[in-house]
Amino acid sequence: MPAISAGYVVQVGDNWTVALGAEAALGEFQRCVRDGNAIEQCLSLVGIYTIDMQVGYEWENGFGVLASVGYQQFLLEYVQDCRVGAAYVSGHCKNAGGVAGYRRTAEDTLEGWTYGAGIQQR
C-alpha cells in the first residue's frame, strides 16, 4: 500500500520536542476464502488513516524519552459472492443447486486510539 505522510516537529526550549503527524496508506489488500459450494467471501483493506502527536525529551548525550498518542481508522470492504449454484439465505450463502448467484457488499470502519512510549538514542 502506498502511503502519504506529513508532519511537523517543534523544538520547545533546549531539550523538548513536539511532533505532529498524519499518514494515509491507500490501496487494496484483499483476502478471499472460497468453500466448495461456489461461495466466495472477500475482505479488503482499502485504507489506513492515522494522526498522532509525540512529545519527547532529550538529554545532551543524545539519550531521550518520548510518548505518543494517536487516532487510527481502518477502512474495510466486505463482499459475499454467491455464484451460480449457490443462493443467499438469511445472511449466508447456501447451496441451492443451479439458482442464480447473489452478491452482497458492505463497508466497515474500525477505529481507535493508539498509545506508545519509548526511548531513543542519537
Side-chain angles (χ1 to χ4, degrees):
M1 267 187 196
I4 300 169
S5 300
Y8 188 72
V9 178
V10 177
Q11 182 80 29
V12 182
D14 291 334
N15 300 91
W16 289 94
T17 58
V18 177
L20 299 173
E23 184 174 4
L26 307 171
E28 186 172 358
F29 174 78
Q30 189 176 73
R31 179 80 170 171
C32 296
V33 177
R34 182 184 293 227
D35 73 5
N37 294 322
I39 301 162
E40 185 175 61
Q41 299 184 67
C42 296
L43 183 65
S44 301
L45 174 58
V46 179
I48 304 172
Y49 301 94
T50 305
I51 184 166
D52 68 355
M53 181 177 79
Q54 292 185 358
V55 176
Y57 183 85
E58 185 176 310
W59 287 272
E60 290 183 17
N61 62 3
F63 182 78
V65 294
L66 58 91
S68 67
V69 63
Y71 183 75
Q72 194 168 58
Q73 284 188 336
F74 291 84
L75 299 182
L76 303 169
E77 287 182 352
Y78 173 80
V79 177
Q80 190 173 47
D81 196 359
C82 302
R83 299 175 187 264
V84 175
Y88 183 77
V89 179
S90 300
H92 300 283
C93 292
K94 186 175 182 181
N95 189 8
V99 175
Y102 183 93
R103 185 177 182 92
R104 180 178 72 143
T105 61
E107 294 180 359
D108 196 8
T109 302
L110 300 178
E111 54 191 339
W113 292 94
T114 62
Y115 306 94
I119 58 174
Q120 64 183 17
Q121 173 68 42
R122 276 204 272 181

